[in-house]
Amino acid sequence: MRTVLIAAALGLIAHTARASASLPPPIQALEQQGYEILSRFDAPAGMTGYAALYLGRPQTLYLTPDGRQAIAGAMTDANGERWNQAGVDLQFSDAMWAQLRGSAWIADGRADAPRTIYVFTDPNCPYCKQFWRDARPWVRAGKVQLRHIPLGILQADSRSKAAAMLADADPAAALARHESGEDVQPLLRPPATVDAKLDANHRLMERLGAFSTPAIFYRDANGELKKTQGAPSAASLEKVLGPR
């Protein structure tokens, strides 16, 4: 997927022992070698395809019809083109998007907004505040819902501030107050559940190959997952947020 999938480690799906055991033996063997299985799809000639990651890079696997062998790599058609590349890319996008959707995020904007954007946010990040301000016209118009994924990486009190927002009775209001200039008060002893959410958010950010905030993930018109880091320039805001 050109921008995101080839750039860096994009997400790991946690597998239970039961889920792993349900995979065919050759796929299980590859999983034990470090492949992370994201999803499956139908492939030509009776084969079954799997979208996977290996060393943080996207990889396709193909299981033979008898279920006894697996082939790692791209499938090429008679024209020398990769078979169903757009469909395979969409498999990866869907799997990564599901991971973002399952993270601990704070909604900013209408739930029925036609465009959803995930943003990894540090409470002490000035560029996160800038993006929050720049996005106001889209959010207020009901065109975009930002889903802020809080974590603490920039300063010593970043994590305790992120914890305070997640633990607030109204996280959305706490986020809005903070981004508007009313600095959130650190929560020095957050509940274990909040600590676990922050840890999971941090791991997800790293697995998605993002290392600075804001890290913004969105889908283009074709459904492909896209990533940008840092506050978008004025010229590129519509690319991220859609038409104003």
Side-chain angles (χ1 to χ4, degrees):
M1 294 188 14
R2 294 107 170 151
T3 305
V4 178
L5 294 176
I6 297 177
L10 291 179
L12 304 176
I13 287 183
H15 292 283
T16 64
R18 180 178 178 183
S20 182
S22 68
L23 293 170
I27 303 299
Q28 288 187 48
L30 289 173
E31 198 177 36
Q32 292 169 6
Q33 295 174 26
Y35 286 83
E36 300 291 335
I37 310 303
L38 301 177
S39 60
R40 66 174 298 281
F41 54 92
D42 294 330
M47 290 192 285
T48 302
Y50 292 86
L53 295 174
Y54 184 67
L55 299 178
R57 297 178 65 86
Q59 179 69 271
T60 48
L61 310 174
Y62 294 97
L63 183 72
T64 56
D66 62 7
R68 298 178 64 181
Q69 288 86 30
I71 304 164
M75 183 179 295
T76 304
D77 63 21
N79 297 316
E81 301 291 336
R82 290 192 173 189
W83 171 79
N84 192 29
Q85 187 61 49
V88 172
D89 283 350
L90 192 57
Q91 287 279 332
F92 284 108
S93 285
D94 287 345
M96 307 311 168
W97 196 251
Q99 292 185 34
L100 288 163
R101 188 170 56 243
S103 65
W105 46 267
I106 299 173
D108 174 19
R110 290 172 47 173
D112 61 351
R115 193 174 183 90
T116 300
I117 296 171
Y118 290 92
V119 188
F120 287 93
T121 303
D122 185 297
N124 289 316
C125 170
Y127 301 106
C128 297
K129 283 184 169 62
Q130 179 183 330
F131 180 58
W132 184 89
R133 290 192 300 268
D134 291 343
R136 289 307 89 196
W138 284 264
V139 172
R140 289 170 180 158
K143 294 182 177 181
V144 169
Q145 184 186 63
L146 299 180
R147 294 181 175 180
H148 298 267
I149 305 174
L151 39 73
I153 57 176
L154 291 182
Q155 296 182 21
D157 63 352
S158 288
R159 184 180 174 96
S160 56
K161 287 181 178 180
M165 287 192 286
L166 277 179
D168 196 277
D170 188 346
L175 172 73
R177 289 194 302 270
H178 177 71
E179 299 294 358
S180 298
E182 182 183 328
D183 199 23
V184 65
Q185 294 302 306
L187 181 61
L188 300 179
R189 295 183 178 179
T193 53
V194 171
D195 261 337
K197 289 177 181 179
L198 289 172
D199 286 341
N201 284 352
H202 197 175
R203 289 193 299 269
L204 178 60
M205 180 182 177
E206 290 180 338
R207 293 199 304 266
L208 291 174
F211 302 99
S212 63
T213 55
I216 303 165
F217 290 83
Y218 63 99
R219 301 186 82 163
D220 66 13
N222 297 319
E224 278 195 28
L225 185 67
K226 300 294 183 181
K227 175 183 72 176
T228 184
Q229 296 191 88
S233 66
S236 61
L237 277 172
E238 287 196 11
K239 181 178 179 181
V240 175
L241 297 168
R244 186 163 179 172

